[in-house]
Amino acid sequence: MTFARPDHSIDPDTLPRMPAWVTSARAETFEDVAFLSGAALNHLHLVLEHTEVPQALLRDRLALRAAETCVAFSGRPERAGELRDAVHLLRPGDLPGPAGETCLAWRRAVERTVSVKALGRALPTLEPGRIVTWLDAAKGAPVTRAATVLDAVLTEAPRAEVPALILADAVLAQALGWDPLVPLLAAGLKRADLRKHGDDLRLASHRALISSAIEAVRQAADLARRAAHLKAVAPKLRAKGAGDAVEMFLTRDAVVPSSLPLPDRAARRLCDRLVELGAVQELTGRDTFRLYGV
């Protein structure tokens, strides 16, 4: 699969949109579905190459979506809000719980270049040798490689949905030249798809990547606009350390004021000011223990 190179000078508001023939097509045959998934991934690749897209922020937000899906697969009730709380309000010595662990695994998976060491950091309960064995199962074209790894992991460990999906996204990213990985498969697959094998799983993976790539492109465009606005209002911020705080907002799905490089009161004032300027939003709707994000 060969990807075209984009024009990096493009304005955030004119990032290329996913072609209508990809978003509206109703493919039935395996060949047609595979063609559409390739087109969707190609377009996502073009969008990811634009410097206007806040890459780390997009990956962190997609990681949250993947974690939410995996938590739902396990039958737990936590959704995005609870997952954010579990990760960002964690105090030293506290345990994040099963849902929080899932969210942390995905966030760690998107933080660093894909490697056995980085994947081991995201999945600390797995031995490096086991990760290598599963990654080595990848053969063929990019989506086939991802589906093969997914199949291999779930055949050996049927309840290991999180490692299976992270490793599948990792080999997909390696095949497409993306680094770090972009969480895509989890959000597009159904729980029943994870019980499929062979060609059935490959077909489900192609379908999943069409829908996930479309959503990732939409989010990339939205975050590019929001990031551009945040950068535009940054010069209005007078607080010492405001520049570093802005960089944190540009790389993280959610930020707790106490994590900003400012005194507590100044951090809260900065967050309130950014909300007034329309540059960030308060994510919880609470009066206390608030979280903010672009």
Side-chain angles (χ1 to χ4, degrees):
M1 189 180 295
T2 302
F3 289 152
R5 303 292 294 182
D7 173 10
H8 291 279
S9 64
I10 197 164
D11 184 85
D13 287 328
T14 56
L15 282 173
R17 296 183 179 182
M18 187 74 73
W21 58 267
V22 175
T23 59
S24 61
R26 294 293 181 267
E28 297 299 332
T29 69
F30 184 94
E31 291 74 14
D32 288 345
V33 174
F35 175 77
L36 286 176
S37 75
L41 290 170
N42 178 60
H43 189 82
L44 175 57
H45 181 82
L46 295 179
V47 170
L48 290 175
E49 286 288 303
H50 286 289
T51 55
E52 293 87 351
V53 176
Q55 304 286 339
L57 173 57
L58 175 64
R59 286 181 166 91
D60 201 27
R61 192 146 290 178
L62 292 175
L64 176 68
R65 186 170 179 233
E68 186 178 29
T69 302
C70 289
V71 168
F73 284 164
S74 70
R76 297 190 62 86
E78 292 91 344
R79 295 299 178 261
E82 290 89 350
L83 294 178
R84 282 180 172 134
D85 285 353
V87 170
H88 296 288
L89 301 181
L90 197 66
R91 295 175 298 183
D94 286 351
L95 297 176
E101 289 286 4
T102 295
C103 193
L104 286 172
W106 277 105
R107 294 191 74 222
R108 289 168 180 157
V110 303
E111 287 176 349
R112 303 185 181 190
T113 294
V114 175
S115 67
V116 172
K117 182 177 180 180
L119 292 169
R121 179 174 176 270
L123 303 166
T125 61
L126 296 184
E127 296 179 356
R130 203 174 188 193
I131 293 175
V132 171
T133 298
W134 281 333
L135 294 180
D136 285 347
K139 300 290 188 294
V143 180
T144 299
R145 292 169 65 87
T148 301
V149 169
L150 195 59
D151 201 349
V153 177
L154 291 176
T155 296
E156 184 176 337
R159 295 186 178 182
E161 292 96 347
V162 174
L165 289 162
I166 287 177
L167 295 178
D169 272 332
V171 298
L172 180 68
Q174 287 181 318
L176 298 179
W178 296 346
D179 220 353
L181 67 84
V182 180
L184 292 175
L185 278 165
L189 289 168
K190 299 179 176 61
R191 183 70 180 87
D193 291 331
L194 300 182
R195 296 192 290 272
K196 296 177 180 178
H197 301 280
D199 288 345
D200 290 340
L201 182 56
R202 282 201 297 143
L203 178 61
S205 297
H206 279 295
R207 290 190 185 280
L209 289 168
I210 295 171
S211 62
S212 291
I214 290 171
E215 174 59 18
V217 167
R218 187 200 65 76
Q219 283 206 37
D222 179 58
L223 290 176
R225 288 189 293 270
R226 293 175 180 273
H229 180 54
L230 175 56
K231 291 175 183 177
V233 305
K236 300 179 181 180
L237 306 174
R238 303 301 181 189
K240 184 178 181 180
D244 291 336
V246 166
E247 286 302 313
M248 291 177 65
F249 281 110
L250 290 171
T251 57
R252 301 184 186 183
D253 163 68
V255 174
V256 61
S258 61
S259 69
L260 295 175
L262 291 87
D264 284 348
R265 184 174 297 179
R268 290 194 296 271
R269 284 200 302 265
L270 176 66
C271 290
D272 290 341
R273 177 62 173 151
L274 287 172
V275 171
E276 290 175 5
L277 293 169
V280 304
Q281 51 192 327
E282 202 284 312
L283 300 172
T284 69
R286 298 187 296 245
D287 293 330
T288 58
F289 300 106
R290 289 181 162 185
L291 298 173
Y292 298 83
V294 171

